[in-house]
Amino acid sequence: MGVIDFYGSSFCLIKSNTNLQQVGLSPRPSCSFGRNQKKLVAMASTIPVEQVNKFPQQLTGDSFIREHLRKLSPYQPILPFEVLSSRLGRKPEDIVKLDANENPYGPPPEVLEALGSITFPYVYPDPESRRLRAALAEDSGLESKYILAGCGADELIDLIMRCVLDPGDKIVDCPPTFTMYEFDAAVNGALVIKVPRREDFSLNVEHITEVVKQEKPKCIFLTSPNNPDGSIIDDKVLLKILELPILVVLDEAYIEFSGIESKMSWVKKYENLIVLRTFSKRAGLAGLRVGYGAFPLSIIEYLWRAKQPYNVSVAAEVSACAALQNPTYLEDVKNALVKERGRLFELLKGFSFLRPFPSHSNFILCEVTSGKDAKKLKEDLAQMGVMIRHYDKKELNGYVRVSVGKPEQTDILIKCLQKLS
Ligand SMILES: Cc1ncc(COP(=O)(O)O)c(C=O)c1O
């Protein structure tokens, strides 16, 4: 890898980390920089557009796209609220949105106040998110030098892969789980080795160990609580996996709802552990995109080098800091959701065609049984203005996932399910 400096001569300087080479090339105006620039601008302005556009007929734009990306299936995100609202013919406030594990209580009031008083929106944000990382250090008890913030945990998943994986490297994924790991691996040209979870959604450690030995994957993505079933990873299991020669990325996006302590501080002890967290769920900031991760010092250095400099916007940083200023609100909202999770679970159990799974998170996975079609159930509920998530993947065919909402949202969902019984 290197840089090609082309100064308009018939030679090209290729800089790499180790040497400087001269390569004979005939100058092409379209790739010239530096001293030739003035001349080229003048040239470009005199060429008629039709001539410039003499693009070889047999070439189409997608021929420039990297081979592995041409085969990529697009990630299927949820519909934006406004689009959903016009499709369903309902006002956004009349939609019961239980399909994306968002926090229906939203952020503490301090967040909107802070957003309204941003003084320098025209200045780029702090590339090191210093204020936020200091606040996170206080919140987590882990020094800020171990913490890096991102545009959602999603950005950090991609950033880790960009830093760790060469094309053709392998990752271990344990489905059913968050599909972003598989998607980002594909974007980064990596191969995914799937080690499915057991029927009770626990990890198959023996199989993981075998795969690590045989296939030598670079990293494994683990989620605790796991999305979509809400199960947690036992410490003993995690310790066993940490003994393997593999980078373990532990995604704790929903940890606050589990009553279990985050493993962020473990990164001081385990050189092969990264822990990811987010403000999307705990602080109701999914729309503002703030995530963070705890990294061993030997790893974080490279993420700093490779990340986009302004990955956390002023609005995102201000919001996250303001949210952390009101821990009582965050705690109250979490308690309300955990309480509602218990009530929702009991109510769902009352339907003969649903088998809900106990969850440590802010959602409940249900198997749709008794001959009822899971996809139709999702569609019928959507017609009534209630959005839930439906799965048709191999590991979860015939399942739906319901996010925990406010009590009044649960009540509407239950009434609709009764109508469909
Ligand atoms: C397990 C898991 N990790 C990460 C994320 C993404 O978090 P963020 O909104 O911070 O990008 C999600 C979002 O649903 C998730 O389910």
Side-chain angles (χ1 to χ4, degrees), residues 144-410:
S144 63
K145 64 181 175 187
Y146 294 95
I147 300 172
L148 188 145
C151 177
D154 279 351
E155 188 208 5
L156 298 177
I157 295 168
D158 181 54
L159 181 59
I160 292 164
M161 291 204 197
R162 285 199 287 122
C163 288
V164 169
L165 301 173
D166 283 316
D169 275 349
K170 296 166 186 164
I171 71 153
V172 178
D173 190 35
C174 302
T177 191
F178 188 41
T179 49
M180 192 59 79
Y181 316 130
E182 188 182 347
F183 173 77
D184 278 332
V187 171
N188 284 285
L191 304 172
V192 178
I193 307 171
K194 294 194 182 189
V195 180
R197 286 166 177 261
R198 294 203 167 92
E199 258 194 25
D200 63 354
F201 299 107
S202 62
L203 292 171
N204 188 336
V205 185
E206 292 73 34
H207 194 179
I208 290 172
T209 309
E210 208 179 289
V211 156
V212 170
K213 277 189 190 139
Q214 278 177 16
E215 301 288 336
K216 309 211 173 346
K218 273 263 186 84
C219 60
I220 180 167
F221 284 80
L222 303 176
T223 323
S224 183
N226 188 41
N227 176 6
D229 62 280
S231 64
I232 43 172
I233 299 174
D234 189 75
D235 279 6
K236 277 192 213 134
V237 169
L238 181 60
L239 286 168
K240 264 194 195 158
I241 298 174
L242 280 168
E243 278 171 15
L244 301 172
I246 190 166
L247 176 62
V248 177
V249 182
L250 179 65
D251 185 340
E252 292 188 334
Y254 302 96
I255 194 73
E256 294 81 10
F257 306 104
S258 71
I260 287 169
E261 240 186 76
S262 164
K263 302 286 183 288
M264 278 177 74
S265 65
W266 287 29
V267 302
K268 284 176 147 182
K269 185 164 174 206
Y270 295 95
E271 282 281 307
N272 61 335
L273 175 66
I274 291 173
V275 180
L276 298 180
R277 294 186 59 183
T278 179
F279 280 83
S280 296
K281 322 293 173 180
R282 91 184 271 208
L285 286 178
L288 278 139
R289 314 301 303 125
V290 206
Y292 54 104
F295 302 83
L297 295 181
S298 54
I299 291 180
I300 200 166
E301 178 191 343
Y302 296 95
L303 284 117
W304 280 119
R305 293 188 203 182
K307 84 171 185 72
Q308 292 290 327
Y310 307 119
N311 60 332
V312 179
S313 75
V314 171
E317 183 168 17
V318 155
S319 308
C321 289
L324 290 175
Q325 276 165 18
N326 194 343
T328 314
Y329 176 95
L330 299 182
E331 188 65 13
D332 289 351
V333 160
K334 179 202 76 185
N335 289 339
L337 287 168
V338 167
K339 186 169 170 221
E340 192 58 15
R341 177 178 76 202
R343 188 172 86 97
L344 177 64
F345 183 81
E346 290 306 318
L347 289 166
L348 292 171
K349 241 177 29 181
F351 291 91
S352 61
F353 55 88
L354 292 177
R355 181 162 82 102
F357 288 80
S359 166
H360 291 83
S361 196
N362 67 338
F363 49 80
I364 295 177
L365 182 74
C366 298
E367 188 181 0
V368 181
T369 60
S370 314
K372 222 175 179 50
D373 185 82
K375 184 160 182 263
K376 178 141 190 339
L377 179 67
K378 178 228 148 85
E379 286 166 357
D380 288 347
L381 284 172
Q383 286 314 312
M384 298 173 174
V386 178
M387 304 306 298
I388 62 166
R389 177 82 193 262
H390 152 255
Y391 293 93
D392 54 7
K393 284 219 162 198
K394 195 174 75 193
E395 304 88 13
L396 273 185
N397 203 358
Y399 284 73
V400 292
R401 189 197 65 197
V402 185
S403 305
V404 179
K406 294 179 176 176
E408 54 270 32
Q409 294 179 309
T410 302

Side-chain angles (χ1 to χ4, degrees), residues 92-99 385-388 409-410 412-413:
E93 52 274 28
D94 291 339
I95 297 173
V96 177
K97 199 170 175 316
L98 304 175
D99 59 346
V386 178
M387 304 306 298
I388 62 166
Q409 294 179 309
T410 302
I412 296 174
L413 166 75

